[in-house]
Amino acid sequence: MPNGHALLAPSSYKRVMVCAGSVALTADLPDDSNEHSEWGTAGHEVSKMSLDGNTDPAAFFHRRIDVGNCKTVEVDQEMVGCTRLYVNLVRQRVADYKLAGAKSVELFIEQRVPVGHITTEEGAEGTADAVIVVVLADDSVLLEVIDAKFGRGVKVYEK
């Protein structure tokens, strides 16, 4: 479990359910990135900076984003558009809860969360892109998790 990231991460749930053996088959493979995954990583960072700084993703147009291993990705117009959709969705959800009379609404961005109790891996963690914690008028608590998907090159089809 490198860096505490779960081998049975919720983000790989569909693959593991279709082929449980995929966990063992991919365990020794390097966690290689490519231009498409790096673009997605940069999209997550632009989204985080936009939400944290209450700015529009266009503010980062042409900025180079560090994606690790001495690599950077330039924010292009497509990334601005994709991240804007996600950022606006998150902001709208927060505004909707406030408008509906929630006692409190808290937003957590790129939040590390323990998942070992789900995956049965000791110390396993994942990252939730956006977590909204809402205390409703009746003191009940609502938790909404929003998963951002950014990437290029390989189409992903949901079934």
Side-chain angles (χ1 to χ4, degrees):
M1 186 170 33
N3 301 323
H5 194 275
L7 293 174
L8 301 172
S11 60
S12 63
Y13 172 79
K14 282 190 176 185
R15 175 182 52 86
V16 173
M17 293 312 298
V18 170
C19 179
S22 67
V23 176
L25 290 170
T26 60
D28 294 331
L29 293 177
D31 189 13
D32 290 337
S33 65
N34 59 51
E35 66 179 285
H36 308 299
S37 63
E38 291 164 357
W39 191 87
T41 297
H44 278 271
E45 185 61 24
V46 168
S47 297
K48 180 183 185 315
M49 292 185 302
S50 295
L51 289 165
D52 283 345
N54 199 27
T55 59
D56 186 271
F60 304 101
F61 185 54
H62 288 304
R63 181 184 285 189
R64 297 208 64 87
I65 304 297
D66 180 5
V67 293
N69 296 325
C70 299
K71 296 179 183 178
T72 62
V73 172
E74 183 176 350
V75 178
D76 59 15
Q77 200 60 47
E78 183 181 4
M79 186 181 298
V80 168
C82 291
T83 56
R84 184 180 284 140
L85 286 171
Y86 166 71
V87 166
N88 286 347
L89 170 72
V90 171
R91 287 180 178 151
Q92 187 61 57
R93 296 300 294 152
V94 169
D96 289 347
Y97 288 124
K98 290 178 179 179
L99 186 63
K103 285 185 175 180
S104 69
V105 180
E106 290 186 77
L107 173 62
F108 300 91
I109 303 301
E110 297 296 325
Q111 185 69 42
R112 295 292 290 176
V113 293
V115 294
H117 61 289
I118 298 167
T119 68
T120 68
E121 301 167 88
E122 188 174 330
E125 292 184 320
T127 303
D129 300 329
V131 178
I132 305 171
V133 180
V134 184
V135 178
L136 300 170
D138 65 358
D139 289 324
S140 62
V141 177
L142 176 89
L143 180 72
E144 181 173 357
V145 179
I146 302 173
D147 189 25
K149 294 296 184 195
F150 304 110
R152 284 181 162 167
V154 180
K155 289 197 181 281
V156 177
Y157 298 96
E158 292 290 325
K159 291 185 177 188

